[in-house]
Amino acid sequence: MTTTDSRPSPGGPSDQPGPVVRTTAGAVRGRQEEGLAVFRGIPFAAPPVGEARFQAPRPAETWDGIRDAYAFGPPPPQDLGLMGGPGLIDVPQGDDWLTVNVWTPDPDPAAHRPVMVWIHGGAYKLGHSGSPGYDARRIAADGDVVVVSLNYRLGMEGFAFIEGAPANRALLDQVAALEWVRDNIESFGGDPDQVTVFGESAGAGSIAALLSMPRATGLFRRAIAQSVPGTFFSDALARDIGTALAAELGLRPTVADLSTIAPRKLTSAGETLGPKMPQHIDRWGQAAPTVTPFSPVVDGEVLPTSPWQALRSGSAKDVELLVGHNRDEYRLFIAMAGQLGQITDERAASALRLFAPGSDGEQAYRAAFPEASPSELYERVQTDWLFSMPSLHLAEAQRAGGGRAHVCELTWPAPGNGGALGACHALDIPLLFGTYGADLGLLLFAGTEPSAEALSLSSRFRASWTSFARTGDPGWPAYDDERRLVQVLDAEPEVRAYPEEASRRLWEGYDFRPLPLLG
């Protein structure tokens, strides 16, 4: 290991105060913070470097004495884009990327509190569990639950096709972290039989994958997936994009070739290919405009089928599921590109032809939303294709497979930018965590103090999520094919029929299959 912040204290036990918990790899000492015991940077697997690079995660090295678990582990190598920048300031460096963090009201093995495991998002290429926006103390304290967050390999290290390496290494990391929870969380006051995974965006996509993976069976009882992206790659598409990624470095997509590039320099392949992806629309189709060359891969082994197909076949019928999305998901990306209100009808038509379902998708959307402007159509079809409909269809697939699912939609508008962002992508994160002044919360709340309305909605988020983790009931009825009742989260939350009925009808019967390689 090359980290210094989280090494065991040399020569035996640490002389620093704080709660001590023994894990399967050794003892760790945390800190008491605002009534919680907090442990950061605990390895759940060995550093994935050297001979372990590009391979499935290996067991963490054991240690003697007491290891200080005071600092978050180093973030995995990743793109340093706009969304990743704020959370990567003053973080430790090193190769110990695969770590977990624990917030617990009391590390008493007899407590048996519900456990919530957070899987962060970030387009499968950026983010880390130590980001200030993921400070889980309010969730743990308000809900009297144990919260765990984790790092997993990103981008080239975690998701790219590499010959000689297993597919979906990042998903295997997440499975290893859940196995660590199973084996250790009781010592932190948690109940290993009451584990809920929860995540947003790429984190929700990861959870959709975990619901489909035989290796994850039995590792969690409940799942909360917020804004599930529908972009899963076919094996052929992943191979083609992997070849293009390696070519950015003048290499082949093999373990032998790519191992010659240091992990933190290998990220340049994704950083340079991403902006070029729209040039490959004839081969990569709908994946090309996303400028994200990484996604879970339906490889037939680690991930045997798409999540929607797996859930329809009953892969997760014994897992209780809560799925949500935001009304105006795609508006965030339009705003970040500086294009709010600037979409022409030509661009809207192009997006409708590419993303709307069916051969007459463009006309069907125009007929369903006759008063919509080009900007509204452009946003609506991409909100539907990328997040809203994959999320709703995941709930419907769970029902079809014999399971139960609850559904919610966030419609409360972000106060930043005069409300122009609406209920955009990622707004649910600062509301859930109560981190209004961190990461994207800075943009969405414009650096202002949250209003009483925001605080009330934030409290409702945490109460619903932790209630679901404890009982499987978030406070509203399960979704069914007749009434289609969902929780609408706004200034005055209400339970009513699914609000996006026009979109639902347009996508009825659509099959979210792995994105293909064209031509």
Side-chain angles (χ1 to χ4, degrees), residues 415-417 436-450:
N417 200 19
Y436 320 102
D439 303 343
L440 275 176
L442 287 167
L443 170 67
L444 301 176
F445 284 82
T448 61
E449 287 295 316

Side-chain angles (χ1 to χ4, degrees), residues 70 78 89 105 122 127 193 221 256 274 283 291 335-336 392 410 472 507 514:
Y70 299 159
Q78 59 191 268
I89 298 172
D193 294 323
R221 183 172 178 178
R283 289 182 63 81
V291 302
M336 292 177 70
L392 181 67
L410 175 63
W507 290 82

Side-chain angles (χ1 to χ4, degrees), residues 106 155 159 194 201 213 229 475 486:
D106 180 17
F159 286 101
Q194 291 277 358
S201 195
M213 291 171 58
V486 305

Side-chain angles (χ1 to χ4, degrees), residues 429-489:
I429 295 177
L431 287 171
L432 173 61
F433 285 87
T435 49
Y436 320 102
D439 303 343
L440 275 176
L442 287 167
L443 170 67
L444 301 176
F445 284 82
T448 61
E449 287 295 316
S451 64
E453 188 175 277
L455 292 172
S456 175
L457 184 56
S458 184
S459 179
R460 179 177 286 268
F461 257 95
R462 288 190 292 279
S464 296
W465 267 228
T466 55
S467 173
F468 181 78
R470 179 170 286 103
T471 67
D473 181 2
W476 64 87
Y479 185 85
D480 63 45
D481 297 331
E482 296 177 1
R483 296 183 299 168
R484 304 188 190 280
L485 295 179
V486 305
Q487 173 73 72
V488 177
L489 293 160

Side-chain angles (χ1 to χ4, degrees), residues 489-502:
L489 293 160
D490 210 318
E492 296 293 336
E494 62 175 328
V495 176
R496 61 185 178 93
Y498 183 62
E500 312 307 332
E501 179 64 10

